[in-house]
Amino acid sequence: MRRILVAALSGIALFTATSSAHASCFGGDTYKTCTDNSGNSYSVQKYGNSTYVQGTNAQGESWSQQSQTYGNTTYHNGTAKDGNSWNGTTSTFGGTTVHQGTDSSGNGYYKSCNQYGCY
């Protein structure tokens, strides 16, 4: 989950980013609130195959993300801290995961990852 949140915090819909920030979370499997050591806070709600995240970065700017999973594909969309929308999908086929969509600046992205790395 932290990979998705980092993408949302930075305002991009690229789900392969990793976080060096450590988050402290309180709550259960269906709802939790988290704060990381960089000053970001967010809440995560899960309902069936859907996840909803709303957060605020250390500068007080809000962002959100919604994800729904159907089969081997997860559909993501959200609003970046600047108010711009983004969307994308993450699909897994065997040992390959494909990330593609449009970031909050309107730029398309595509990344394919497998056991050998991402391209």
Side-chain angles (χ1 to χ4, degrees):
M1 188 63 180
R2 285 177 44 191
R3 284 184 247 146
I4 293 172
L5 295 174
V6 169
L9 289 171
S10 64
I12 336 175
L14 182 59
F15 303 99
T16 59
T18 58
S19 171
S20 60
H22 175 74
S24 297
C25 297
F26 300 95
D29 291 338
T30 59
Y31 180 81
K32 65 180 73 176
T33 58
C34 303
T35 304
D36 67 26
N37 59 4
S38 296
N40 305 300
S41 61
Y42 47 90
S43 63
V44 181
Q45 295 178 317
K46 294 182 181 181
Y47 301 102
N49 65 342
S50 299
T51 302
Y52 303 92
V53 184
Q54 291 189 330
T56 304
N57 66 19
Q59 293 73 39
E61 300 163 314
S62 297
W63 52 269
S64 65
Q65 175 178 323
Q66 301 81 42
S67 300
Q68 291 81 33
T69 301
Y70 301 99
N72 65 342
T73 302
T74 301
Y75 300 86
H76 312 280
N77 65 74
T79 303
K81 65 182 184 176
D82 61 5
N84 291 337
S85 297
W86 56 267
N87 64 73
T89 60
T90 302
S91 301
T92 303
F93 308 97
T96 300
T97 301
V98 175
H99 309 276
Q100 60 186 347
T102 304
D103 68 21
S104 63
S105 296
N107 301 310
Y109 67 87
Y110 176 91
K111 185 179 259 189
S112 177
C113 300
N114 60 29
Q115 69 268 29
Y116 303 109
C118 295
Y119 310 95

